[in-house]
Amino acid sequence: MTSAVRENKSDQRRGGAARGALEPRMLLTSLPDAVRKLDPRVLWRNPVMFIVEIGAVWSTVLAIANPAFFAWAIVVWLWLTVIFANLAEAVAEGRGKAQADALRRAKTDTVARRLADWTPGGRVVEQRVGAPELRRGDHVVVEAGQVIPGDGDVVEGIASVDESAITGESAPVIRESGGDRSAVTGGTTVLSDRIVVRITQEPGHSFLDRMIALVEGASRQKTPNEIALNILLAALTIIFVFAVVTLQPLAIYSKANNPGVPDTSALDAHGITGIVMVSLLVCLIPTTIGALLSAIGIAGMDRLVQRNVLAMSGRAVEAAGDVNTLLLDKTGTITLGNRQAAEFVPLPGIPDDEVADAAQLSSLADETPEGRSIVVYAKQVYNKRERTPGELTGATWVEFTAQTRMSGVDLADDHRLRKGAAGAVTEWVRSQGGAVPVELGVIVDGISASGGTPLVVAEVAEGRARLLGVIHLKDVVKQGMRERFDEMRRMGIRTVMITGDNPLTAKAIAEEAGVDDYLAEATPEDKLALIKKEQDGGRLVAMTGDGTNDAPALAQADVGVAMNTGTSAAKEAGNMVDLDSDPTKLIEIVEIGKQLLITRGALTTFSIANDIAKYFAILPALFVGLFPGLDLLNVMRLVSPQSAILSAVIFNALVIVALIPLALRGVRYTPSHASKLLSRNLTVYGLGGIIAPFLGIKIIDLLVQLLPGMS
């Protein structure tokens, strides 16, 4: 089961760029769905295409009453226009169905081991029930090899969990009680040990259920911008309906005053024929963007799914594109998170080698990343042999505690070494009768001001206590972060680093990383206050978080990205979940949101420009017999009114198919100022939308005139 999901995820990543391509197999598999969407009860949600369908039905009736090749050709292409529009949405939805099927396979008929009246350390009464019977607040026990029956939090124990059914990644993760990594997801598998899970979701509302619905597009709700654009398109459609209707009395009046003009299939004694009126209306209303609008929104969410981000709503994706302020945690996002030894600074009169030896010995039993880096640094830079605690017979290891804030070792010859925070170690030296040189404060302050963390090394040997030097731990900024933040700045986004470090350290790292601002010694209340302050200034805010203490800020932010490894409270508060738990993913999410908005704007520009060009194709051909002066507007020199109208209708249908790949892939986004993006869209898609119909309709006209009755 998990391998199928993993393979699907791998296919997504390998073919991310190719997913915009329109493969014949994709069209064939989506065609039945496109036909089913012809149901008026479904299509009425898209007012533009609903009007086209009504016109196709009316034209079909007219063609049956007065059969002719021209009439039936128009009818066929009107129906194809509606089907192609439905096909765009069906293809966008169909791309997520493979993943949804794989996720659905992860939902098995799991038997849960529910614990009745569970209390920590209390007597256990176990009941075996089906997973669908579990309710919020129930406690279940899960052991190695068993599937977790529902979403919840670990309240007892620690276990290794295989989450490949959700994330597609084969590497197991650790889930334990009492921390920010306590959340587990139904459908994942415990690989080792035993945990007790408190269920946090009702049946049918689990994380997996929501993910399946969102991936399939079944629960996708239109975003505010999408609704506003739909209203605009509906208004334009209504305007063009009235405009076309008013052409009928004009044609009747003009025909009556020009009795010598012969009837054509476009104009007869009763004015404009019904089929021609429908054709004119379909070509003038914004059918192109009306057909692609839904597909653009679905594809935007799909691009997030490709990057293992689950958006709880399309509104969140759209908001990401309008974000003005980005709040980023320092640790793990901007920096690597594990402070590394960067330098040993000896005090005056102390040899470098002696400081390195003492630093390594005092760190041998320190299993933290910082402690390991000190041992490795002493080996690589000072050629110190990497020793192990077992080699030092008679040694007593002093572990780090929050109270002492230092660690070290007592050797057999009454030689004691300590390493830790400057204040704690200097106090220890004073208690042993030693002195603290003035130079120590200068070194410690210098390291702190540079963004590093100073650890002081001291010893007691032969009854004499003395300070030896300082270890410079550096929180390493991730490679390429400055360039990423420069891109954000070009996009008009202000970046703010949030950290619990002191202001000196925060300032140094903020300058090195290139962020616009920072918030030092941040508490949950400080984060929430900063978000509200930004929002009060009219800005949209995005942030990431994983802990319960991040939940208020995630809920307040316009785009709150919760880490999948975080608590259930964080995932409930955010409107996106990053399945990879990569805090830097927030930058990609913003780029995807901007690409969605740009794609929608570009294709809207193209569609409206497209309609202007079709105006020059149909109206001159339609009325040139009555008003010869209109021949000047027939710049394409179309052969006849019939071929002009049919060519415009055919082009109107084919351009939808041609633009489906662009709608799915999205318009390429490069960070730049809004005015530059606007001018580029107007140039490429505005000008392109005018030129393309002139070329396309003319080519189709040359082919159409070869058909019977079209010359």
Side-chain angles (χ1 to χ4, degrees), residues 36-58:
R36 280 192 288 270
K37 288 177 181 291
L38 291 173
D39 186 343
R41 292 170 297 182
V42 176
L43 202 61
W44 73 268
R45 297 184 180 89
N46 186 338
V48 176
M49 300 317 300
F50 185 59
I51 291 293
V52 177
E53 185 176 45
I54 292 174
V57 171
W58 185 31

Side-chain angles (χ1 to χ4, degrees), residues 552-576:
L554 286 171
Q556 181 67 34
D558 300 283
V559 180
V561 184
M563 301 295 101
N564 191 43
T565 55
T567 62
S568 295
K571 289 195 281 188
E572 287 293 329
N575 48 26
M576 290 189 187

Side-chain angles (χ1 to χ4, degrees), residues 628-669:
L630 288 177
D631 189 57
L632 294 174
L633 297 179
N634 186 14
V635 293
M636 287 179 274
R637 314 316 300 171
L638 302 178
V639 175
S640 66
Q642 301 97 309
S643 68
I645 294 166
L646 182 57
S647 298
V649 171
I650 293 174
F651 177 84
N652 191 64
L654 293 180
V655 75
I656 295 173
V657 180
L659 290 176
I660 290 177
L662 183 60
L664 300 182
R665 185 179 62 247
V667 174
R668 184 180 176 184
Y669 171 67

